[in-house]
Amino acid sequence: MRLCIAAVGRLKPGPEQTLITKFARRLDATGRPLALGPMDLHELDERKVKDSKAQSARLIERIAPGSVAVALDERGKTLGSPDLAKLIERTRDAGSDEMLFLIGGADGHTKALRERADHLVSFGPMVWPHMLARVMIAEQLYRAVSILAGSPYHRA
C-alpha cells in the first residue's frame, strides 16, 4: 500500500526537504517486505489555488478510489505512534491501495474536506507550519512502519 502526503504549498530545497527525502527512503526500505510504501509527496502550488475552498477541492480530487484519506487537522484525534501504526496496518490489511495524508493551506481544511476524509488526525492543539507538518508526518509514517517491522527505532 502506497503512503502519500498531499500538501498545499511547495517546499523549496532545504533541511525540511532533506528530512522528508531521508524518511521516505528509510520507509521504502523498511516497508517493502511489509507491502508498505513507497512514500510519495504531492504538492499543490498555492499560487494557483489561493483560497481554502479551492485548496480543499483540489485535495479532495487527489483522493482516488481505493484510497483512505487522513486529514491532518487540529480538530482531529491525537494518536500515539503505535496507534498510527495499527491504523496503517488495518488499512493495508483491508486491501486499500493508498493511504493519503492531507495537509491544508494556511486556513486549514474546509468542512467538505473534513467530512470526506476517512480519519481526522491532529498533532495536538498547537498549529504547526506546513513545512514542519510535512516533516513530522513523514517521520511518523517511517516510525509506524518501523513499529510494524519490529525495528528498534521506536523505543516506547
Side-chain angles (χ1 to χ4, degrees):
M1 177 179 76
R2 290 182 311 279
L3 299 170
C4 182
I5 301 167
V8 173
R10 300 184 76 75
L11 278 182
K12 294 180 177 151
E16 296 87 3
Q17 186 64 53
T18 301
L19 283 169
I20 291 169
T21 301
K22 172 182 165 181
F23 290 125
R25 268 190 258 139
R26 287 181 177 183
L27 185 148
D28 291 349
T30 304
R32 195 172 299 118
L34 303 172
L36 291 170
M39 182 176 80
D40 297 316
L41 176 64
H42 296 276
E43 298 177 311
L44 296 176
D45 189 344
E46 76 275 13
R47 294 172 298 179
K48 295 179 181 175
V49 282
K50 295 185 182 209
D51 64 88
S52 62
K53 187 175 180 181
Q55 292 168 352
S56 287
R58 292 283 304 276
L59 289 172
I60 290 170
E61 288 172 7
R62 176 59 187 83
I63 304 169
S67 291
V68 171
V70 179
L72 299 179
D73 188 276
E74 61 190 2
R75 297 167 197 84
K77 181 178 179 182
T78 55
L79 298 177
S81 297
D83 297 323
L84 179 61
K86 288 176 190 169
L87 178 61
I88 291 170
E89 183 178 46
R90 284 193 310 268
T91 302
R92 179 204 59 199
D93 293 350
S96 296
D97 298 325
E98 177 182 63
M99 194 164 192
L100 183 63
F101 294 82
L102 306 168
I103 301 172
D107 294 321
H109 297 303
T110 61
K111 182 179 179 186
L113 186 138
R114 289 191 306 272
E115 289 174 351
R116 170 56 186 91
D118 299 291
H119 304 279
L120 292 179
V121 173
S122 173
F123 284 134
M126 293 182 184
V127 177
W128 295 93
H130 301 125
M131 64 184 160
L132 291 181
R134 292 173 207 207
V135 174
M136 292 165 61
I137 193 61
E139 191 279 337
Q140 283 300 302
L141 292 175
Y142 168 62
R143 182 177 296 273
V145 170
S146 296
I147 290 168
L148 295 174
S151 163
Y153 179 74
H154 180 71
R155 294 180 175 92

